[in-house]
């Protein structure tokens, strides 16, 4: 499924719901707070990953708090607060803030963690291969390797102008959601999901069912950001990409 959100003028904007027809198994949405506004997030059955996009916000949970500021998702690495079920998190906007929240069911009680830019280094991939046509920057916030107690994976990609991402073509069993932004409002790219292709634009998202490959392309002149969010399946966590057989020859150039 592909959808473009309305302009983010305030309130909550839903991408997916845990029990909706997309079968993504996650509640994902964006809270928009004006300066001085505050909300409290709490879920009795779901863990939460709270990712400030463009924000200046105070986060408070249990006995801890932190002020997070991020103005440019293309040049600044993320902060992300990850909490288990039944933990209340208060968000207090110092300036206008846009905050993405990813949730899913998880019975495990684990230690809450605020990931900082130091925990999420930039990893440049695709340089020096395929004539540099798939150069991109990846920031993995947490995955099964670093947070095996979680049912979630979350990270970010900066896809460079005129380049490809999520490449070579691959799939996995677990459902995934991509949420897009561009460095200019009119920016665009292309998302392929199995045999289908979609024009992706600023503030759009796409749902990726398990089993379908999903390479992405970015239009020349524009940088494309996408937050990638995966839900582990029971007894089948996401740990690796399954490359499409006909394209495995590309791996010999890595």
């Amino acid at each position: 499924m592909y959808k473009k959100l309305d302009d983010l003028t305030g309130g909550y904007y839903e991408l997916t719901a845990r029990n909706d027809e997309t079968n993504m198994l996650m509640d994902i949405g964006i809270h928009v707070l004006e300066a001085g506004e505050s909300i409290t997030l709490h879920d009795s059955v779901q863990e939460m990953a709270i990712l400030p996009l463009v924000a200046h916000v105070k986060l408070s949970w249990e006995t801890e708090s932190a002020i997070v500021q991020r103005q440019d998702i293309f040049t600044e690495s993320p902060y992300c607060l990850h909490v288990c079920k039944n933990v209340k998190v208060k968000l207090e906007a110092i300036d206008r803030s846009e905050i993405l929240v990813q949730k899913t069911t998880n019975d495990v009680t684990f230690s809450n963690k605020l990931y900082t830019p130091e925990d999420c280094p930039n990893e440049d991939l695709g340089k020096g291969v395929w004539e540099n046509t798939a150069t991109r920057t990846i920031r993995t916030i947490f995955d099964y390797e670093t947070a095996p107690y979680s049912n979630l994976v979350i990270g970010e990609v900066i896809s460079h102008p005129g380049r490809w991402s999520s490449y070579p073509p691959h799939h996995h069993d677990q459902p995934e959601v991509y949420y897009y932004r561009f460095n200019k409002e009119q920016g665009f790219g292309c998302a392929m999901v199995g045999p289908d292709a979609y024009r992706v634009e600023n503030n759009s998202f796409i749902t990726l069912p398990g089993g379908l490959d999903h390479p992405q392309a970015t239009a020349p002149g524009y940088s494309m950001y996408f937050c990638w969010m995966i839900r582990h399946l029971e007894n089948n966590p996401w740990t690796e990409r399954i490359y499409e057989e006909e394209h495995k020859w590309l791996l010999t150039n890595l």
Side-chain angles (χ1 to χ4, degrees):
M1 181 187 77
Y2 168 82
K3 185 176 181 181
K4 189 175 188 296
L5 297 178
D6 297 330
D7 291 338
L8 303 182
T9 56
Y12 180 71
Y13 296 81
E14 180 181 279
L15 278 65
T16 65
R18 177 162 46 102
N19 296 316
D20 68 15
E21 68 280 359
T22 66
N23 202 33
M24 292 295 105
L25 309 177
M26 297 177 283
D27 288 339
I28 300 174
I30 298 171
H31 291 275
V32 180
L33 303 178
E34 297 300 331
E37 280 192 284
S38 66
I39 59 170
T40 298
L41 305 179
H42 173 256
D43 199 296
S44 61
V45 297
Q46 296 191 104
E47 62 178 299
M48 293 189 286
I50 299 166
L51 174 69
L53 296 169
V54 178
H56 189 190
V57 62
K58 181 179 180 181
L59 306 173
S60 302
W61 67 102
E62 296 188 322
T63 61
E64 299 186 68
S65 65
I67 293 176
V68 170
Q69 188 167 12
R70 191 186 195 195
Q71 296 303 314
D72 186 356
I73 56 177
F74 291 91
T75 61
E76 299 175 38
S77 293
Y79 291 86
C80 183
L81 177 60
H82 185 207
V83 301
C84 61
K85 68 177 184 178
N86 262 330
V87 173
K88 292 182 180 180
V89 179
K90 186 176 183 180
L91 311 178
E92 300 172 84
I94 299 168
D95 295 311
R96 186 180 185 278
S97 296
E98 300 169 359
I99 301 158
L100 185 149
V101 178
Q102 176 196 21
K103 303 195 294 184
T104 198
T105 53
N106 190 348
D107 291 332
V108 177
T109 299
F110 54 84
S111 297
N112 308 311
K113 180 171 181 176
L114 176 63
Y115 291 86
T116 69
E118 290 71 29
D119 299 312
C120 312
N122 293 322
E123 182 183 8
D124 293 321
L125 296 184
K127 287 186 175 181
V129 295
W130 316 316
E131 299 180 76
N132 293 314
T133 52
T135 54
R136 71 273 197 198
T137 301
I138 297 177
R139 308 163 181 152
T140 301
I141 299 171
F142 65 84
D143 58 13
Y144 188 72
E145 181 178 352
T146 57
Y149 43 79
S150 177
N151 284 335
L152 297 174
V153 177
I154 186 170
E156 300 179 328
V157 170
I158 306 300
S159 188
H160 301 292
R163 302 296 191 262
W164 287 76
S165 295
S166 301
Y167 202 84
H170 65 270
H171 68 274
H172 40 77
D173 296 335
Q174 300 77 16
E176 185 171 18
V177 176
Y178 282 179
Y179 169 71
Y180 299 92
R181 290 201 172 176
F182 289 83
N183 63 332
K184 295 184 181 296
E185 286 282 336
Q186 69 271 30
F188 64 98
C190 177
M192 300 179 185
V193 184
D196 300 319
Y198 304 87
R199 177 186 171 114
V200 294
E201 299 178 344
N202 197 55
N203 208 30
S204 64
F205 68 95
I206 199 160
T207 59
L208 307 171
L212 296 179
D213 67 347
H214 39 273
Q216 317 282 303
T218 308
Y222 300 102
S223 292
M224 180 171 77
Y225 162 99
F226 58 93
C227 180
W228 50 281
M229 296 162 279
I230 296 175
R231 208 292 187 181
H232 297 306
L233 299 177
E234 187 173 359
N235 299 318
N236 185 12
W238 178 80
T239 57
E240 61 183 355
R241 298 166 180 85
I242 304 170
Y243 292 102
E244 305 309 311
E245 196 64 36
E246 66 269 33
H247 300 302
K248 281 186 177 179
W249 70 271
L250 290 162
L251 300 172
T252 62
N253 292 329
L254 290 177

